[in-house]
Amino acid sequence: MKVAVYPGSFDPVTNGHIDILEKTIKIFDKIIVAVIHNVYKQPLFTPEERVELIKESTQHLKNIEVGCFSGLLVDYIKEKKACAIIRGLRTVTDFEYEMQMAMMNKELFPEVDTVFVMSNSKYIFVSSSAVKEAVLLGGDVSTLVPEAVRRGLERKLG
Ligand code: COA
């Protein structure tokens, strides 16, 4: 069984992330979306809230599991017996950071590979921070995030 982990802060999940999942679930038997606490970021949603929002937003997809993790990504990969890490690439600016991370993870756990997927061009400008800022300033983000996330953002920032 080919299992992949899609890690990220997902604070909150956006349509860009869902697009990556829709594409990669055709390649793997199961994808575990891993909500990871990024020590450099101050989150708006708690890890439990982020997990719940991802679950609500992926109901149309089969074989998606959602979990929470803090620590080293490769330890989680080993625990879950996954063979790959999924990452989305939006623009060339993502590449350098992603390449560094992929090489670091390969060094830490040589059996794992990172699979990069190009974002849909509709979402290359989307990030969780941009979405939060737009809502905070009264913008309509309904084309950029799942409905459950839009409601969650309204509750927190609207
Ligand atoms: N569509 C929309 N937005 C996207 C996206 C896509 N396809 N892909 C990335 N993004 C956005 C995210 O929303 C996020 O936006 P934000 O910065 O405004 O929050 C940004 O791009 C990048 O975030 P994310 O993909 O969540 O990665 P990250 O940098 O927060 O975290 C981890 C990367 C979690 C994978 C990494 O920190 C990690 O592995 N941590 C565990 C510790 C570890 O093992 N470290 C050693 C490995 S180097």
Side-chain angles (χ1 to χ4, degrees):
M1 186 166 177
K2 281 181 287 173
V3 179
V5 169
Y6 182 26
S9 313
F10 301 109
D11 185 42
V13 67
T14 68
N15 285 345
H17 297 124
I18 302 295
D19 167 59
I20 299 292
L21 275 173
E22 286 170 350
K23 287 173 175 149
T24 47
I25 198 57
K26 293 176 192 156
I27 305 171
F28 294 97
D29 298 312
K30 182 166 95 173
I31 295 178
I32 303 170
V33 185
V35 173
I36 287 181
H37 175 60
N38 186 329
V39 286
Y40 302 108
K41 290 182 180 175
Q42 192 63 44
L44 175 68
F45 293 96
T46 65
E48 294 74 23
E49 287 171 329
R50 282 180 262 162
V51 165
E52 206 40 54
L53 289 175
I54 297 168
K55 282 184 181 165
E56 283 186 53
S57 310
T58 53
Q59 278 173 3
H60 62 296
L61 297 174
K62 284 201 185 88
N63 305 324
I64 303 280
E65 189 182 302
V66 191
C68 234
F69 178 71
S70 67
L72 210 52
L73 176 62
V74 292
D75 287 341
Y76 190 72
I77 301 281
K78 287 178 197 167
E79 182 194 318
K80 295 292 178 184
K81 300 191 182 351
C83 62
I85 298 166
I86 294 169
R87 297 290 290 169
L89 286 178
R90 289 164 299 173
T91 60
V92 71
T93 48
D94 279 344
F95 181 76
E96 204 173 315
Y97 171 65
E98 292 296 338
M99 187 186 68
Q100 204 178 8
M101 219 162 46
M103 290 171 91
M104 185 67 176
N105 285 322
K106 187 81 182 162
E107 181 68 26
L108 293 170
F109 182 39
E111 284 163 55
V112 78
D113 280 296
T114 304
V115 172
F116 292 107
V117 180
M118 293 299 296
S119 279
N120 186 312
S121 57
K122 279 194 294 193
Y123 303 124
I124 54 175
F125 61 94
V126 180
S127 75
S128 301
S129 305
V131 160
K132 285 182 279 192
E133 187 175 330
V135 173
L136 191 63
L137 300 173
D140 176 8
V141 296
S142 52
T143 57
L144 306 179
V145 295
E147 179 53 22
V149 174
R150 192 197 63 74
R151 280 187 266 115
L153 285 166
E154 279 297 321
R155 244 188 344 266
K156 294 252 181 190
L157 302 170

